[in-house]
Amino acid sequence: MVEETGDAARPWTIRSNVIASQVPIHREWGGVVPELASRQHIRDICGVVERALADAQTAWTDLGAVAVTQGPGLVGSLLIGVAFAKAAAATAGLPLVAVHHLAGHIESLVLQNGEMPLPAVVLVVSGGHTSLYLVERPGHYQLLSRTRDDAAGEAYDKVAKLLGLGYPGGPVIDRLAKTGNDRAVALPTTRLTHADRNAPELKGDLDFSFSGLKTAVLRHVRARAAAAAENEVGSRFTKNEKRPPTSFSAAEVADICASFQRVVVTALLDRLFDAARRYQAKSIGIAGGVSANSRLRAELTDRGNRRDVPTFLPSLQLSTDNAAMIAAAGLRKFRAGILAPDDLNADAALAL
Ligand code: KG4
Ligand code: ZN
């Protein structure tokens, strides 16, 4: 729950922000299972809203509007949210505002830090998206580039899986990378120079690509496993068999994590700062789940200081998916008079 303040520097204040995490449910399967996600959503949604009202010490009658994520995302979960919000808004006689998930991530920056000097270049980097936006006017987001294949968070999750580190991969790789040598494993960086056939309107040279990096980590792990199997006298593994990842020493896993993380963070920041230069940005931000990454946060601040450009990050709590960022984006649309129609529907592939 987010409330308007009269303060231009920090226009919003958070009254409550309840998060029902499904990580323990999906961890068992190594990733998000859509059907389990929507079923748990139905079970959680009433209690979460009641707690959000209680935490904010408020009631339906005191609210000004209801904001809901329309998309993009898993359609089953989106539908539950949209149906609930429509019913709640109609019953309480409140206006309804539809929010794009990535607009929510971008507005988490303003929610945390106050308005960004514009034009701003913002990187939204999560489990499903790696996209660069130019913000020239508040509430207007122009897509500059995106990933051609995996999102950065997805690469973290896949690499963690192949190292046997569990789900979600970002936080654990981030932690293990701290003790590793980030030059131990030579991994490739992908630099795209041509336009994407699927998005010819974008130049393409600011695009991202992470699937080659993930494959390179996989090849490295397989090669090391094969070498280890060969060296081990009386090994129960044949030459072509992959040894379980547990056979890596902790130091070796840390080296792989650190090397992978260095390449991801460098790729993200190089493109972000290229865009900032190209569009003469007065501020630079990173939002989305991967913005919780310690190395990304430290290097963003460092590069920003060196170039004398203010940099913006959400708090750790506002980095990963949360309700307050959706309320913040909703409040901005509400102020601009942009309300959702009565027949609002969820849209799994909603464009920003
Ligand atoms: O924004 P988010 O909560 O959900 C989506 O909209 O996808 O982002 C989740 C993603 C996951 O892929 C997770 O591994 C990643 O954010 N993540 C991190 C860190 N914390 C979460 N990636 C790198 N370092 C972290 N510390
Ligand atoms: Zn997200």
Side-chain angles (χ1 to χ4, degrees):
M1 196 165 299
V2 165
E3 188 178 53
E4 199 162 2
T5 65
D7 184 352
R10 289 199 70 185
W12 305 313
T13 168
I14 302 174
R15 295 268 302 268
S16 64
N17 187 17
V18 179
I19 295 160
S21 172
Q22 294 194 359
V23 166
I25 295 168
H26 300 297
R27 182 173 283 144
E28 207 181 316
W29 308 94
V32 174
V33 184
E35 187 59 24
L36 292 181
S38 39
R39 287 181 193 197
Q40 191 59 34
H41 230 52
I42 294 185
R43 286 184 207 113
D44 286 339
I45 199 159
C46 292
V48 164
V49 173
E50 272 166 13
R51 235 193 79 201
L53 288 168
D55 285 2
Q57 296 183 315
T58 192
W60 283 106
T61 44
D62 299 325
L63 300 182
V66 175
V68 65
T69 306
Q70 185 189 5
L74 297 173
V75 77
S77 301
L78 292 170
L79 277 169
I80 291 156
V82 167
F84 183 93
K86 276 160 79 173
T91 311
L94 294 168
L96 182 67
V97 186
V99 173
H100 190 285
H101 182 73
L102 298 192
H105 277 302
I106 295 172
E107 296 303 339
S108 73
L109 296 170
V110 180
L111 185 55
Q112 175 74 24
N113 308 287
E115 295 286 356
M116 299 177 73
L118 303 180
V121 170
V122 177
L123 172 68
V124 183
V125 64
S126 69
H129 296 268
T130 302
S131 304
L132 258 177
Y133 287 94
L134 174 66
V135 186
E136 285 181 311
R137 284 177 293 142
H140 292 261
Y141 320 102
Q142 186 194 329
L143 181 69
L144 298 178
S145 75
R146 58 188 173 182
T147 179
R148 300 268 179 104
D149 38 62
D150 292 353
E154 191 179 354
Y156 267 95
D157 294 338
K158 287 178 176 170
V159 165
K161 197 170 184 176
L162 71 91
L163 290 171
L165 299 174
Y167 168 87
V172 57
I173 290 185
D174 190 1
R175 184 166 48 80
L176 296 176
K178 289 194 174 111
T179 58
N181 169 6
D182 66 6
R183 302 269 171 185
V185 185
L187 295 169
T189 29
T190 312
R191 180 99 232 198
L192 296 158
T193 50
H194 55 287
D196 183 355
R197 268 184 296 135
N198 299 318
E201 72 282 5
L202 302 173
K203 258 179 96 182
D205 58 343
L206 291 171
D207 281 0
F208 303 90
S209 167
F210 293 106
S211 73
L213 173 61
K214 170 203 64 194
T215 308
V217 176
L218 179 64
R219 283 219 188 89
H220 173 80
V221 167
R222 287 210 175 128
R224 289 286 304 122
E230 215 156 76
N231 289 337
E232 198 172 299
V233 184
S235 164
R236 21 187 207 100
F237 301 97
T238 63
K239 199 174 166 194
N240 294 325
E241 209 173 20
K242 189 164 79 84
R243 280 165 62 95
T246 45
S247 60
F248 287 109
S249 71
E252 186 160 5
V253 172
D255 284 351
I256 298 171
C257 290
S259 303
F260 165 77
Q261 179 151 287
R262 181 178 67 82
V263 174
V264 174
V265 167
T266 307
L268 292 173
L269 290 178
D270 283 354
R271 236 63 102 240
L272 178 59
F273 279 85
D274 277 358
R277 234 188 335 266
R278 197 176 296 178
Y279 294 93
Q280 295 174 353
K282 294 211 170 68
S283 63
I284 298 176
I286 304 185
V290 181
S291 72
N293 186 266
S294 60
R295 181 166 184 160
L296 188 62
R297 294 175 85 89
E299 286 194 17
L300 170 71
T301 311
D302 192 46
R303 285 203 199 191
N305 286 344
R306 269 189 276 137
R307 297 201 191 160
D308 214 14
V309 186
T311 53
F312 286 68
L313 284 161
S315 65
L316 290 181
Q317 214 213 354
L318 292 179
S319 298
T320 40
D321 289 349
N322 65 88
M325 71 183 198
I326 302 303
L331 183 52
R332 197 187 281 290
K333 281 182 91 173
F334 178 67
R335 280 172 170 175
I338 307 166
L339 300 182
D342 289 344
D343 62 350
L344 178 72
N345 200 358
D347 184 346
L350 186 68
L352 182 59

